Amino acid sequence: MMKALAFIIIYITPIHSILITVYLLLAFDLFSGVGKAIKLKEKITAAKLRLSIIKFVYYSVGIIAAYQIDKVMIAPDSLLLTKIISGYITLTEFKSLMENISILTGRDIWIAVKDQVIALFKAKIMKVEKENSDNNG
């Protein structure tokens, strides 16, 4: 049993940071989801909590399978498919986390982020326009 565990640990070492990122997002999403359920006075059931365990298992299997495909079919040192699959999973969990935080705080986080991005772009455009007018005149 210890040899099998050691083999698994050694095998997934190249993707450990990817797995840790996904697991952290899963944990954050779980805790924020529980907080959201409490705020909305929804019932927290074992069946709903079990979904987090199922996601943990499926996400792990998906990322490890992508890693194996990368090693065998793409290139031994490639993580292309692994990064694509884990990127999709990460974005999905991040979106869910942001939705939960929006409900918990009562403020739409996506709109706040959008407003900040627009403000940054406007400031950058104004700066470039000012530099261009200073250089031309």
Side-chain angles (χ1 to χ4, degrees), residues 1-8:
M1 188 67 161
M2 291 302 286
K3 287 182 182 180
L5 182 60
F7 172 77
I8 291 170

Side-chain angles (χ1 to χ4, degrees), residues 5 8-9 15 17 19 22-23 34 37-38 46 61 72 74 77 85 88 96 98:
L5 182 60
I8 291 170
I9 290 171
I15 58 170
S17 60
L19 291 170
V22 169
Y23 298 157
V34 169
I38 291 169
V61 168
V72 173
I74 297 175
D77 59 346
I85 299 295
Y88 176 78
S96 176
M98 291 298 109

Side-chain angles (χ1 to χ4, degrees), residues 65-83:
Y67 175 61
Q68 181 62 27
I69 291 168
D70 275 335
K71 284 181 65 167
V72 173
M73 300 182 86
I74 297 175
D77 59 346
S78 171
L79 291 178
L80 178 65
L81 186 60
T82 306
K83 288 181 180 179

Side-chain angles (χ1 to χ4, degrees), residues 84-97:
I84 291 170
I85 299 295
S86 60
Y88 176 78
I89 291 168
T90 300
L91 290 175
T92 301
E93 288 304 309
F94 183 74
K95 182 177 183 294
S96 176
L97 178 62

